[in-house]
Amino acid sequence: VKQAKAAGTPQVYEPKEASAARRRFSIETELRRALDKDQLKLFYQPLINLKSGEVAGFEALARWTHEDRGEISPAEFIPVAEESGLILQLGRWAMDNAAQTLANWDKAIGETLPLYVGVNLSAIQVARDNIADMVSSALRSSGLTGDRLTLELTESSIVQDPGRATRVFEALKALDATVAMDDFGTGYSSLAYLQRLPIDVLKIDKSFVSGMMRDPDAVAIVRAVLSLAEALGMSTTAEGVETVELATTLAALGCASGQGYYFAKPLEEDEALAYWKSRRRR
Ligand code: C2E
Ligand code: MG
Ligand code: MG
Ligand code: MG
């Protein structure tokens, strides 16, 4: 018995892949527990109106500080949540909490703030959850109107089942919510969908934005996306605005809003409200 047990637990050498698979598996187990114990947090990153300099809204971004492993990046746990189906629970949690936070800010200031909150929707949620039901229930419990919400969807949510995606996008519009195409330019969707689906905002992926200062091709792509958006009557947001030069250039090119470390990193709930106040024009 002793021998068999020893043979089953290699200690000296372990192929990288085996340990990666093991970590993935533990992340799944621990994420499930963390969701049940409400241990995830939403942080809020401002989106700045590049003309006025005011905060237009905030994107809610999930954060997970693990008891032993420390901070685990969404780049790691979101894919695990998607593969395991936990994204349905995580997605509803994010929707409810983001809406409640904006309602709390309204209450703290004593008015309906000229702000929206953006929530990311995974393609898995679009494929498997009842998004309209999820959003209307968040609106009901927070008391917000639909126009205070932006739902960020990716091209991958269209590609798999365009018919279903169309119904989801239209249901969101029926609730008066704003629909943004996240990471635009990195997916595989056909431009025909841009015309067919009710999309309000194109979010230009940070890979194009961060390339702008050294790569004329990246500038060309950003320009092309901006004029495409304008022609189709859509607004634009640039992700990954890390420098004042980028903010100025994007503003000059006509990009409506910007998001990135130059303005602020994702902030805790109360820091985010303080940030909004500090940039409010009076
Ligand atoms: P995303 O939706 O494209 O969010 C933008 C990401 O860019 C965030 O990464 C943000 O922290 C990061 N970012 C913002 N400004 C800058 C900048 O100036 N430079 C650089 N290098 N990065 C910047 P984060 O928070 O690590 O999230 C990564 C991705 O995980 C998100 O990409 C989103 O796809 C996903 N995610 C996060 N929270 C949720 C959630 O609640 N639900 C779902 N479905 N996905 C989420
Ligand atoms: Mg996003
Ligand atoms: Mg994005
Ligand atoms: Mg992106």
Side-chain angles (χ1 to χ4, degrees):
V1 177
K2 225 177 183 178
Q3 230 173 351
K5 197 186 170 196
T9 48
Q11 237 128 42
V12 196
Y13 169 76
E14 192 170 282
K16 239 202 177 120
E17 255 175 52
S19 67
R22 189 155 339 132
R23 178 174 164 103
R24 194 216 155 281
F25 183 74
S26 347
I27 295 279
E28 179 183 330
T29 311
E30 289 156 23
L31 179 60
R32 177 170 288 114
R33 193 178 314 136
L35 279 166
D36 288 337
K37 289 168 63 184
D38 201 21
Q39 287 174 337
L40 268 63
K41 262 187 105 156
L42 286 177
F43 274 51
Y44 296 89
Q45 187 176 33
L47 288 86
I48 306 298
N49 178 322
L50 292 175
K51 256 198 191 133
S52 71
E54 289 192 285
V55 179
F58 288 91
E59 177 176 6
L61 293 158
R63 291 290 178 268
W64 180 19
T65 307
H66 188 283
E67 288 133 324
D68 315 315
R69 300 178 200 264
E71 177 112 356
I72 301 179
S73 160
E76 179 168 15
F77 70 78
I78 294 292
V80 173
E82 293 182 321
E83 287 160 29
S84 60
L86 287 171
I87 194 69
L88 301 184
Q89 189 183 341
L90 192 158
R92 285 187 172 253
W93 165 83
M95 184 73 248
D96 286 337
N97 276 269
Q100 193 54 57
T101 295
L102 186 52
N104 292 345
W105 290 339
D106 284 358
K107 217 164 149 199
I109 303 293
E111 62 181 274
T112 301
L113 302 176
L115 286 176
Y116 60 82
V117 68
V119 178
N120 290 287
L121 288 185
S122 156
I124 307 292
Q125 289 174 273
V126 174
R128 291 177 37 197
D129 208 348
N130 183 340
I131 303 287
D133 170 82
M134 175 186 83
V135 172
S136 41
S137 126
L139 291 176
R140 213 175 316 115
S141 51
S142 63
L144 293 182
T145 50
D147 60 341
R148 313 287 304 286
L149 295 182
T150 295
L151 286 313
E152 299 196 357
L153 296 109
T154 58
E155 292 168 79
S156 55
S157 62
I158 305 172
V159 175
Q160 213 189 351
D161 184 349
R164 185 178 172 95
T166 305
R167 290 190 294 279
V168 170
F169 281 51
E170 280 167 358
L172 291 171
K173 292 315 298 169
L175 291 168
D176 210 18
T178 301
V179 173
M181 189 59 24
D182 205 353
D183 305 332
F184 184 70
T186 61
Y188 296 93
S189 71
S190 144
L191 285 180
Y193 291 126
L194 279 191
Q195 195 184 21
R196 232 176 285 155
L197 291 171
I199 296 164
D200 305 299
V201 183
L202 295 184
K203 290 193 77 172
I204 306 170
D205 191 67
K206 58 175 171 280
S207 57
F208 303 116
V209 175
S210 61
M212 285 175 73
M213 284 304 152
R214 50 188 158 72
D215 180 2
D217 289 349
V219 179
I221 289 173
V222 170
R223 272 182 195 279
V225 174
L226 293 172
S227 72
L228 177 68
E230 179 164 27
L232 295 172
M234 296 171 188
S235 187
T236 42
T237 299
E239 294 182 338
V241 181
E242 293 187 352
T243 62
V244 64
E245 290 80 11
L246 279 173
T248 315
T249 306
L250 287 158
L253 291 175
C255 184
S257 53
Q259 170 182 12
Y261 299 160
Y262 168 63
F263 297 111
K265 61 184 197 309
L267 304 167
E268 302 228 32
E269 191 172 321
D270 50 342
E271 294 175 328
L273 184 60
Y275 184 86
W276 169 78
K277 284 189 203 160
S278 76
R279 293 192 76 106
R280 188 180 205 186
R281 224 187 6 216
R282 48 197 94 229

